[in-house]
Amino acid sequence: MSRILMVLIAALLITGLPTESILAQNSSPAFDVEQASRAYIDSLQGAELEKSNNYFEGGYWLILWGALIGILADFLILQSRFSARFRDWAERVTARRWLQPGLYALPYVLAGFLLTLPWTIYTSFFREQKYGLMSQDFGSWFGEQMIGIVISLIIFPLLIMAIFAVIRRAPKMWWIWGTGVISIFLFIGMLLGPVFITPLFNEYSDMPEGPMRDKIVAMAAEYDIPAENIYVFDQSKQHKRISANVSGVGPTIRISLNDNLLERTDPEEVEAVMGHELGHYVLGHTWRTILILGLIMAVGLFITARFAPHLIERHGEKWGVRSISDPAVIPILSLILTLYFFAATPALNSLIRINESDADQFGLDTAKQPDGFAKVAMRLSEYRKIEPGPIEEMLFFDHPSGATRVRMAMQWKADNVANPTMITPGDLEKE
């Protein structure tokens, strides 16, 4: 269940975009959108195209194997009766029923972490290194994993205590109130995460005064977005991907750009990225995402509330699980939810992809940098397949593909720029 929570929180994180360098302009009496688009798309060729496709397509299998490994971990915790032992330990420590689920969650989180650690090391470290997407050594990477576990050991017990309080008070309808509890935790995470969580992984410093900061402030002011807090964070120590975001709620709202964005891109590309990120804020994507994720979670908890009692009735004695209100049931709930969210992957991807597409359009209208946007979209081809088929994009892409984004940018250029010219991109990487 902790893995499901992290998936949901991860789904709320909305990434930025990428970049170019030296261009040659060719005037064209009649601007052809497809020809201009192909000039960008076809600039990715050979070994780089093959590496990008192999990395991203390999991720399709990771979705399946990740779900199976999560299910296996929960099954092992049940079958070994470790779940019952964790519950028994919590009951020995305290007689307070409201506290027992929180205590249970501590060894459960640690057990899940250890059981899935080999898979995590492969997918998040060695595989990233293999494709040249990792800047850290193993020690630095593992240190961040330890920080993540400490955070989970704080947040997950609180969440579990809240959910089991609901289960005890409303054993028939707990899935409705449980959805509300998870939504509240997501909101609190958005409120406090930028201030207390993200600085644990990166150092944030005020963006220096200058033309780029002035441009960002002006873009934000156009839509009454608070721009008092604009930060640069040192994500280059982890990888070279570019990123930016507008995060927080109310007093914690801040605009953040990673150092890769400023160091690897030209000003027009930074403007394109920031127009996109400001779009998420103006269009209310945070609230829309929480609402739709809440509905998706409600369906998942409803299914869980229907199937979990049958599993308890059939296997509860063997696993040492007494009832739905017994903390030892947590691996059963997690197992069902993992299956559900695996099946719901296309829906979750589409939710995020629609928001991203809307933000793309907003960014083009705001920054008015179609070629900067197209260059950024090509930069994402370092780790995203540039031109998938339509069904492939629908099922596996949580952002529009690079080809889709380039075509959107060139169509915007044709519709909004007087006498547009076609640009042939050179090497997008700065020297």
Side-chain angles (χ1 to χ4, degrees):
M1 197 164 179
S2 59
R3 290 182 290 279
I4 299 302
L5 175 63
M6 299 310 293
V7 166
L8 286 176
I9 294 174
L12 289 173
L13 300 177
I14 303 176
T15 57
L17 297 151
T19 108
E20 103 67 33
S21 136
I22 298 177
L23 310 172
Q25 291 193 354
N26 299 316
S27 296
S28 174
F31 185 78
D32 186 291
V33 171
E34 184 59 25
Q35 184 180 3
S37 299
R38 293 250 52 110
Y40 279 103
I41 298 167
D42 293 341
S43 67
L44 182 66
Q45 296 287 342
E48 290 302 311
L49 175 61
E50 183 179 4
K51 183 174 78 169
S52 171
N53 289 346
N54 288 342
Y55 174 78
F56 198 81
E57 290 171 358
Y60 303 163
W61 288 104
L62 297 187
I63 299 172
L64 172 62
W65 288 111
L68 292 177
I69 287 172
I71 290 169
L72 178 61
D74 281 318
F75 178 76
L76 289 175
I77 292 173
L78 286 167
Q79 191 72 9
S80 64
R81 292 182 67 93
F82 271 110
S83 187
R85 293 174 189 174
F86 297 159
R87 185 260 334 279
D88 294 342
W89 170 78
E91 290 178 346
R92 287 195 302 270
V93 171
T94 180
R96 297 180 176 88
R97 288 194 66 194
W98 64 270
L99 185 56
Q100 289 168 359
L103 290 176
Y104 169 97
L106 298 176
Y108 172 73
V109 168
L110 292 174
F113 171 75
L114 292 174
L115 286 171
T116 59
L117 183 58
W119 174 253
T120 303
I121 291 173
Y122 167 69
T123 57
S124 299
F125 183 76
F126 286 115
R127 187 172 186 267
E128 295 297 297
Q129 272 200 334
K130 174 184 176 182
Y131 285 95
L133 299 173
M134 171 69 67
S135 301
Q136 295 174 299
D137 58 25
F138 184 80
S140 300
W141 173 86
F142 193 73
E144 292 189 354
Q145 298 301 305
M146 292 297 97
I147 294 173
I149 281 297
V150 171
I151 294 170
S152 295
L153 289 172
I154 296 171
I155 295 176
F156 190 62
L158 296 174
L159 173 63
I160 288 301
M161 284 192 294
I163 288 179
F164 272 82
V166 166
I167 291 175
R168 289 193 301 272
R169 287 166 173 76
K172 297 293 186 183
M173 304 298 291
W174 68 267
W175 59 275
I176 296 178
W177 301 104
T179 300
V181 166
I182 291 173
S183 298
I184 290 171
F185 268 76
L186 289 176
F187 172 78
I188 294 173
M190 289 188 303
L191 178 67
L192 302 181
V195 179
F196 297 106
I197 304 298
T198 55
L200 297 175
F201 298 93
N202 294 97
E203 181 178 346
Y204 285 71
S205 57
D206 287 322
M207 185 177 186
E209 298 291 339
M212 182 50 63
R213 183 185 176 104
D214 292 342
K215 180 63 178 179
I216 294 172
V217 170
M219 291 171 67
E222 185 177 354
Y223 297 97
D224 296 322
I225 301 173
E228 294 81 10
N229 301 314
I230 304 179
Y231 297 104
V232 177
F233 59 103
D234 59 341
Q235 203 161 43
S236 60
K237 72 178 185 180
Q238 288 133 347
H239 53 71
K240 67 176 186 177
R241 295 169 177 168
I242 71 169
S243 179
N245 61 76
V246 180
S247 60
V249 178
T252 66
I253 290 175
R254 57 188 55 201
I255 298 170
S256 303
L257 303 81
N258 75 359
D259 52 354
N260 295 324
L261 177 61
L262 296 177
E263 293 169 6
R264 296 184 61 198
T265 68
D266 292 331
E268 66 199 64
E269 300 167 67
V270 178
E271 291 179 31
V273 170
M274 293 315 304
H276 168 95
E277 297 302 332
L278 294 174
H280 284 304
Y281 178 89
V282 174
L283 298 173
H285 285 168
T286 294
W287 307 110
R288 183 199 301 180
T289 300
I290 286 183
L291 175 61
I292 298 178
L293 278 178
L295 294 175
I296 293 174
M297 176 56 76
V299 174
L301 292 182
F302 172 78
I303 292 172
T304 302
R306 291 297 175 269
F307 280 93
H310 296 292
L311 288 174
I312 296 169
E313 182 180 356
R314 185 169 182 177
H315 302 286
E317 184 176 353
K318 178 175 62 176
W319 291 338
V321 179
R322 302 165 184 159
S323 67
I324 194 69
S325 61
D326 178 3
V329 79
I330 287 175
I332 296 178
L333 306 183
S334 176
L335 188 152
I336 297 171
L337 283 173
T338 298
L339 280 171
Y340 168 74
F341 277 105
F342 171 73
T345 296
L348 290 168
N349 285 345
S350 294
L351 161 66
I352 300 171
R353 190 175 61 252
I354 291 169
N355 282 351
E356 293 294 330
S357 184
D358 290 346
D360 287 348
Q361 187 63 57
F362 182 95
L364 286 165
D365 292 337
T366 300
K368 298 177 175 57
Q369 295 287 2
D371 286 291
F373 185 89
K375 298 166 197 174
V376 160
M378 292 304 300
R379 181 71 64 195
L380 291 173
S381 65
E382 292 174 346
Y383 55 93
R384 288 183 188 157
K385 187 175 182 179
I386 187 67
E387 196 168 17
I391 296 178
E392 183 181 13
E393 186 165 356
M394 179 191 71
L395 292 176
F396 298 110
F397 279 65
D398 60 1
H399 287 63
S401 68
T404 297
R405 283 175 148 168
V406 168
R407 289 190 176 96
M408 176 185 284
M410 294 303 98
Q411 186 62 59
W412 189 95
K413 187 175 182 179
D415 294 341
N416 295 277
V417 175
N419 302 315
T421 58
M422 190 179 82
I423 288 181
T424 303
D427 184 3
L428 294 181
E429 192 62 60
K430 285 185 174 182
E431 298 296 335

